[in-house]
Amino acid sequence: MSDILRELLCVSEKAANIARACRQQEALFQLLIEEKKDGERNKKFAVDFKTLADVLVQEVIKQSMENKFPGLGKKIFGEESNEFTNDLGEKIILRLCPREEETAELLSKVLNGNKLASEALAKVVHQDVTFTDPTLDLIKINIPQDVLGIWVDPIDSTYQYIKGSADIKSNRGIFPSGLQCVTILIGVYDIQTGVPLMGVINQPFVSQDLSTLRWKGQCYWGLSYLGTNIHSLQPPISKQNSAMQSQLTDDTSSELEFSHRFSAVISTSEKEPIRAALSRVCGRRIFRAAGAGYKSLCVVQGLVDFYIFSEDTTFKWDSCAGHAILRAMGGGMIDLKECLERNPFTGLDLPQLVYHVENEGAAGVDRWANKGGLIAYRSRKQLETFLSLLIQHLAPVDTRT
């Protein structure tokens, strides 16, 4: 099973190389944007885009996994259509060809005959990439390939990728916007149960060399299967967080002792009732950031305790990778609406997100929306306390979406 995970890490790094290459030359990047069709558009945004980089990444992941693990490529799903229309009105199905020259020729049709751009992209697409992590060698378990499904978000936070801001300052390590919020997400799940099993989050734009303007990235991964949990990092816990964790005792005497213990990252579009309740629970430790994948990564990294989102505009490809990594770390990702409606005295387990069933009666991308919103967390104990406080401070609201 480490072979599949290792290959996913390699293709995520190849994908990061494509994303960086497409941003490196502004003239090239301007050629790569095509507006999404109605069925593909995220209703959260007035304007949504797909880029050739998005589609290239998705097709590279599909084809690479199919080459190494026959049959697996057909079980890779994502949000991007691989159909483009060029200036001549020709519809072109983008795919990864066996040879670099053939891929360049196909790309040239998409890019209206721009040979230099097509050859440059084809070179990156066909470049061999290796990924080394000694921890991968510790994975000895075997997961049957026929139970695996894969969700891919080739470039999450496409708007930030297109905008390309490189000079955004972080707030306690969390970037509100900019290229740092761009992630490549690959999540593997069990097609029978919908449980996330493996996750890869690749952050292509972490630090920039100011002399060459070239970017370096970082990759995070996790695996959780039948009691085996392994991941690429132990999230850092600050002295402040450690002190707060030590306060989690059964005999706390006042609500004030609970207040402002937790931190959360939210979307800039989060609804007022949730923001108001969070301010009572977290105080000033609420951070805003772009990109569902990046906000999940903030929890994985230990920069915040929770990522909370109450709307229905994230999707299975946004959450599966981060969910799998958090499971490997002892955390998870749950349905917010179901949590708010849950009776805490019934003893029911937390409603974890699942990835194998589409939403009944929905059309287009909404078939795979996380309809009840979500909460991502690292600690079950922290989550229970956080939820009880959040519910206390939430005025009765209409949770229908």
Side-chain angles (χ1 to χ4, degrees):
M1 188 44 55
S2 62
D3 291 342
I4 288 182
L5 181 55
R6 195 185 302 273
E7 186 62 24
L8 288 174
L9 289 161
C10 285
V11 297
S12 82
E13 193 55 34
K14 180 179 284 192
N17 288 341
I18 293 170
R20 286 187 286 260
C22 289
R23 273 249 52 114
Q24 201 68 35
Q25 301 177 42
E26 188 65 25
L28 170 61
F29 187 71
Q30 291 304 317
L31 296 172
L32 304 186
I33 303 167
E34 178 169 306
E35 191 169 347
K36 286 187 177 180
K37 298 173 185 175
D38 287 341
E40 302 167 354
R41 188 172 295 134
N42 184 340
K43 63 186 178 185
K44 179 180 174 183
F45 304 105
V47 178
D48 203 352
F49 295 93
K50 71 178 180 183
T51 67
L52 181 56
D54 272 289
V55 181
L56 264 180
V57 165
Q58 185 166 287
E59 294 307 305
V60 163
I61 293 171
K62 281 185 178 180
Q63 193 61 56
S64 298
M65 297 308 294
E66 179 64 27
N67 291 344
K68 290 286 182 73
F69 306 97
L72 194 56
K74 296 176 182 177
K75 297 197 291 185
I76 297 176
F77 311 102
E79 67 170 323
E80 301 298 344
S81 162
N82 63 343
E83 182 181 288
F84 275 84
T85 304
N86 65 15
D87 285 352
L88 298 176
E90 298 172 325
K91 292 191 181 300
I92 299 150
I93 303 299
L94 188 63
R95 58 185 175 83
L96 180 63
C97 301
R99 294 169 56 245
E100 183 179 323
E101 294 80 6
E102 293 172 324
T103 300
E105 185 177 349
L106 185 60
L107 287 169
S108 180
K109 293 179 181 178
V110 177
L111 296 176
N112 303 303
N114 190 322
K115 188 176 180 182
L116 287 176
S118 303
E119 289 176 350
L121 278 177
K123 183 176 181 179
V124 177
V125 166
H126 284 270
Q127 208 165 41
D128 288 331
V129 173
T130 58
F131 187 94
T132 57
D133 187 333
T135 311
L136 289 171
D137 298 328
L138 302 175
I139 302 174
K140 303 299 182 184
I141 63 172
N142 180 48
I143 307 176
Q145 183 178 314
D146 60 356
V147 305
L148 301 181
I150 301 178
W151 282 114
V152 172
D153 192 340
I155 295 182
D156 185 54
S157 199
T158 309
Y159 176 75
Q160 297 299 326
Y161 180 64
I162 292 170
K163 192 175 180 182
S165 300
D167 56 353
I168 305 297
K169 302 298 182 184
S170 69
N171 181 6
R172 298 189 183 184
I174 299 169
F175 289 87
S177 59
L179 282 171
Q180 287 88 348
C181 298
V182 174
T183 53
I184 293 159
L185 309 172
I186 307 175
V188 181
Y189 65 97
D190 186 317
I191 60 174
Q192 297 170 345
T193 65
V195 172
L197 304 175
M198 291 182 276
V200 175
I201 299 179
N202 196 307
Q203 191 181 14
F205 305 98
V206 174
S207 59
Q208 187 179 33
D209 185 320
L210 295 180
S211 60
T212 64
L213 298 182
R214 294 189 177 277
W215 286 88
K216 289 185 178 180
Q218 181 69 42
C219 196
Y220 305 84
W221 60 267
L223 179 148
S224 179
Y225 182 70
L226 293 181
T228 296
N229 295 290
I230 189 166
H231 55 85
S232 58
L233 82 167
Q234 196 64 38
I237 301 177
S238 67
K239 292 181 180 178
Q240 184 182 20
N241 282 344
S242 297
M244 290 176 177
Q245 182 73 17
S246 69
Q247 294 172 14
L248 280 173
T249 59
D250 294 332
D251 58 353
T252 41
S253 57
S254 71
E255 183 178 317
L256 183 60
E257 292 181 34
F258 282 113
S259 295
H260 306 174
R261 171 179 302 143
F262 301 113
S263 58
V265 62
I266 63 173
S267 169
T268 54
S269 65
E270 185 53 73
K271 295 176 181 176
E272 172 57 28
I274 295 291
R275 286 191 285 119
L278 278 175
S279 68
R280 298 290 300 278
V281 177
C282 301
R284 296 181 180 178
R285 303 181 70 209
I286 303 170
F287 305 90
R288 289 170 174 78
Y294 177 67
K295 287 190 280 285
S296 299
L297 181 58
C298 288
V299 182
V300 168
Q301 292 174 306
L303 295 172
V304 291
D305 300 312
F306 305 102
Y307 159 34
I308 183 168
F309 188 59
S310 65
E311 299 183 50
D312 62 351
T313 49
T314 65
F315 301 87
K316 302 305 180 188
W317 49 79
D318 293 314
S319 56
C320 189
H323 192 172
I325 299 173
L326 287 167
R327 281 190 76 233
M329 302 172 80
M333 205 172 288
I334 55 177
D335 184 297
L336 172 62
K337 181 181 177 182
E338 288 189 30
C339 280
L340 297 181
E341 295 173 346
R342 184 182 66 138
N343 184 341
F345 301 107
T346 59
L348 294 176
D349 202 6
L350 292 169
Q352 297 288 328
L353 299 184
V354 291
Y355 296 89
H356 64 316
V357 179
E358 61 184 80
N359 296 313
E360 189 176 347
V365 295
D366 288 337
R367 291 179 301 150
W368 301 107
N370 295 315
K371 296 295 288 184
L374 59 84
I375 303 179
Y377 65 97
R378 286 183 296 127
S379 164
R380 168 70 182 253
K381 185 176 181 181
Q382 279 191 323
L383 176 67
E384 291 283 10
T385 308
F386 173 77
L387 277 174
S388 67
L389 290 170
L390 185 68
I391 291 169
Q392 286 176 36
H393 292 300
L394 267 175
V397 294
D398 185 357
T399 56
R400 291 174 298 178
T401 53

